[in-house]
Amino acid sequence: MTAVTTPTKKPVTRARPGQSSPKLAYLPIIFLAFAIGIPLLIIVVYSFLEKPSQGTGVKWVFTTENYRALFIQEKLDGTTAFDTRYIKVLWTSFYYSLITTVVTLVFSVPVAMWIATREARKRTLLVALVTLPFWISILIRTYGMRQIIADEGPIGKFLGLFDISWSILYSPPATILGLIYVFLPFMILPIYASAERFDFRLAEAAYDLGAKRMTVVRRIILPSIRPGVISGVALVFIPALGSFLQSDMLGGGKTNMVANVIANNFGQARNWPFGSALAVLLIILTLLFVLIIQGIAQRRGDKVELV
Amino acid sequence: MSEKFLEIRNITKVFQTPEGGEVRALDDVTLDIAAGEFFILLGPSGCGKTTLLRSIAGLEYPDSGEIVLQGQRIDDKPPYDRPVNTVFQSYALFPHMTVAGNIAFGLEMENVDKAHVATRVSEALAQVRLEGYENRMPSQLSGGQQQRVALARALAKKPKVLLLDEPLSALDLKLRRGMQVELKRLQRETGITFVFVTHDQEEAMSMGDRIAVFSEGKIVQLDTPVEVYRRPVNAYVADFIGETNLIKGTVASGGIALPGGNILPTDQLAADSVIPASGPVTVAIRPEDLVLATNGMISGTVRDVIFTGDSVRVYVTVGDVEIIASLASYGTEIPAQGSQVTLNPENRAARTVAS
């Protein structure tokens, strides 16, 4: 008699479709936790330490002096005064970022709508063109920008033909121009993503109900692409606040943004604790803006998640 | 019927296909729609009926021709300058506005004052029997309810002409039947002229005062539902409206020779049938106009019998063609599959049609 062996069924744990193993996420999560958490911790700790009497680094003595120094200046005669220098730098950064955000927004809405209304084949191509700048290093692009807007660059030479003087390099407008140039795609892409989903039959319905062109844009199209606009604003404003390359290379160091001051304290000024304190302040302000933008998004009931 | 209300004069619209070809969506279409009429534009998809509707709405501009409403040309006006409104196939409700917001939108465009807007919104909602839904979002409504909101939104504008672009095609059969009755009621109550696009011939017949049957950008027949059904001008209309046996035969002495050696005497055809002196001819017979008979004129073999409840459908092979007869469910002996039967056309309802 042959023994009949019933095949023992191995319990198969198979992931259901759409369900992925959390194990795959462990490594990147650990990596991110270290890569973001540790430097952040170092910055926070350093911001409460003293600067060594000479050389770089920190002296392991607790102090809150660095934060005081952000706002209060100690004069040589021992008196103290309110110091507006760093507030001004922060204001400059905020102001440049705001202009950048507004200009890129105004440029991006028509571009995104135009791309979204092309036929599918052209859309893919146009989106690829928008992302084209990402293929080239930001450093090289900023160098390129410097050549273009230089006094003797193509624009300057062309305007020279009409005896119009052109000199914007190493000035605030050059910095802002650089910011707009770098951040424009980050505004176009999320707005396009929203615009592509827009049902243009809604615009037809609005026309049919008696709306004119601008009313259709204001009351039907803009509300529909608002999630994209909010994402775009967050993706442009927040990184713009922390940029330093444009003001360094195009602004000529004359128009400092807060990130330039931070970099300078870790470099030439050799004041790591103060640089850290300024960095912590910038992080807090950035977080504040993120919360504000998210608050607006939530109040509107849009599905935008930033934090 | 009163004098001319909405006149479509020689409208032509040509679309370019992406491949570089041309499609004549509307080919020199002329028709008059009377005030207060429930007018149907009927045809298969791509026949031009929706293009005509969109041309009236102003969402499409014809290449040539005129559209005149109450003596005023409107074809060159933008949509917001035309006293017509549309109920879209997709409903096109604004997803970010409440039901009330959707309906109020069109009124706000006319600068109706706020208090008045609220009254007209609730009036419109009452008309479509959706009282109390003011603060819902469109996403919280069923398809049928969205349909009603779309209707209320257009009606609130009190248009001179209401254009409806296959508004019921997304609803299930039962809901569709209910909405058909309600649309008829609304049209009667408001007195607004309805221009209704559909590809569903049954819907067209049950609702329309008159039907324009479209094919390839042209009107093939324009008449009342009864006339279009009873007197189709050609095989296309006969086949499209309702169900028809189209049988090809030849003119013979004393009648028309049909497949299988059957002869249909001329005096059995509708009196106004046009019978050529000789040659091929197409005979149209509705399934319900055929009855079983002893020694009938058309003999054949029963291939299939399908009992549908209110009728019995008998598929009869006659020569090399198949004829469908729809027999009354009661009082008829149901023939067995494979048996020989003979059929007679009743009431001289069979007719010749141009192919």
Side-chain angles (χ1 to χ4, degrees), chain B residues 234-236 239 244-252 255-264 269 276 279-285 298 318-323 351-355:
Chain B
N234 60 19
Y236 171 82
D239 195 36
T244 305
N245 294 299
L246 289 170
I247 312 161
K248 288 198 162 67
T250 22
V251 178
I256 291 159
L258 298 180
N262 296 293
I263 297 278
L264 189 64
L269 293 170
V281 68
T282 303
V283 177
I285 312 173
I298 304 165
V318 176
D320 54 355
V321 299
E322 186 158 275
I323 292 176
R351 57 194 302 111
T352 58
V353 289
S355 49

Side-chain angles (χ1 to χ4, degrees), chain A residues 155-195:
Chain A
I155 299 172
K157 278 189 179 144
F158 177 76
L159 291 175
L161 297 175
F162 305 97
D163 281 333
I164 301 166
S165 71
W166 166 265
S167 177
I168 74 155
L169 191 59
Y170 306 135
S171 70
T175 305
I176 295 169
L177 200 64
L179 288 170
I180 291 168
Y181 165 62
V182 164
F183 286 108
L184 192 57
F186 292 99
M187 187 66 91
I188 294 176
L189 290 175
I191 296 180
Y192 165 74
S194 275

Side-chain angles (χ1 to χ4, degrees), chain A residues 5-47:
Chain A
T5 50
T6 48
T8 46
K9 245 191 180 170
K10 224 176 164 184
V12 184
T13 45
R14 199 178 281 137
R16 280 194 304 250
Q19 197 182 46
S20 75
S21 163
K23 283 174 197 157
L24 290 171
Y26 288 161
L27 186 65
I29 287 172
I30 291 167
F31 172 72
L32 281 176
F34 274 92
I36 297 168
I38 290 179
L40 201 63
L41 193 71
I42 291 172
I43 293 288
V44 173
V45 171
Y46 278 15
S47 72

Side-chain angles (χ1 to χ4, degrees), chain A residues 95-290:
Chain A
Y95 178 66
Y96 288 3
S97 304
L98 192 70
I99 294 177
T100 305
T101 307
V102 170
V103 173
T104 51
L105 182 62
V106 169
F107 283 0
S108 297
V109 171
V111 172
M113 291 306 292
W114 181 75
I115 296 175
T117 49
R118 296 310 97 188
E119 51 189 280
R121 224 159 9 104
K122 275 190 194 155
R123 281 208 298 265
T124 319
L125 179 73
L126 289 166
V127 170
L129 285 177
V130 172
T131 58
L132 199 64
F134 299 150
W135 299 9
I136 306 160
S137 150
I138 182 172
L139 200 64
I140 293 170
R141 277 186 282 144
T142 311
Y143 267 118
M145 188 60 138
R146 189 154 85 176
Q147 301 306 311
I148 291 165
I149 64 170
D151 298 359
E152 289 301 310
I155 299 172
K157 278 189 179 144
F158 177 76
L159 291 175
L161 297 175
F162 305 97
D163 281 333
I164 301 166
S165 71
W166 166 265
S167 177
I168 74 155
L169 191 59
Y170 306 135
S171 70
T175 305
I176 295 169
L177 200 64
L179 288 170
I180 291 168
Y181 165 62
V182 164
F183 286 108
L184 192 57
F186 292 99
M187 187 66 91
I188 294 176
L189 290 175
I191 296 180
Y192 165 74
S194 275
E196 198 204 11
R197 283 195 298 271
F198 179 69
D199 182 356
F200 281 89
R201 291 176 296 188
L202 296 180
E204 282 194 343
Y207 277 121
D208 187 75
L209 289 165
K212 291 180 186 160
R213 213 181 148 77
M214 281 320 289
T215 315
V216 175
V217 171
R218 194 168 48 80
R219 293 205 47 191
I220 308 299
I221 296 174
L222 286 181
S224 302
I225 62 169
R226 192 162 47 219
V229 170
I230 291 172
S231 302
V233 166
L235 285 174
V236 170
F237 184 78
I238 293 163
L241 209 55
S243 349
F244 67 98
L245 197 64
Q246 290 76 17
S247 49
D248 196 41
M249 288 175 61
L250 302 172
K254 278 187 278 178
T255 55
N256 273 330
M257 291 177 75
V258 63
N260 300 98
V261 179
I262 294 171
N264 191 39
N265 273 292
F266 280 92
Q268 288 168 345
R270 291 185 188 181
N271 193 345
W272 289 16
F274 183 73
S276 300
L278 196 53
V280 169
L281 183 64
L282 178 62
I283 290 166
I284 291 169
L285 287 175
T286 305
L287 200 64
L288 206 67
F289 287 123
V290 171

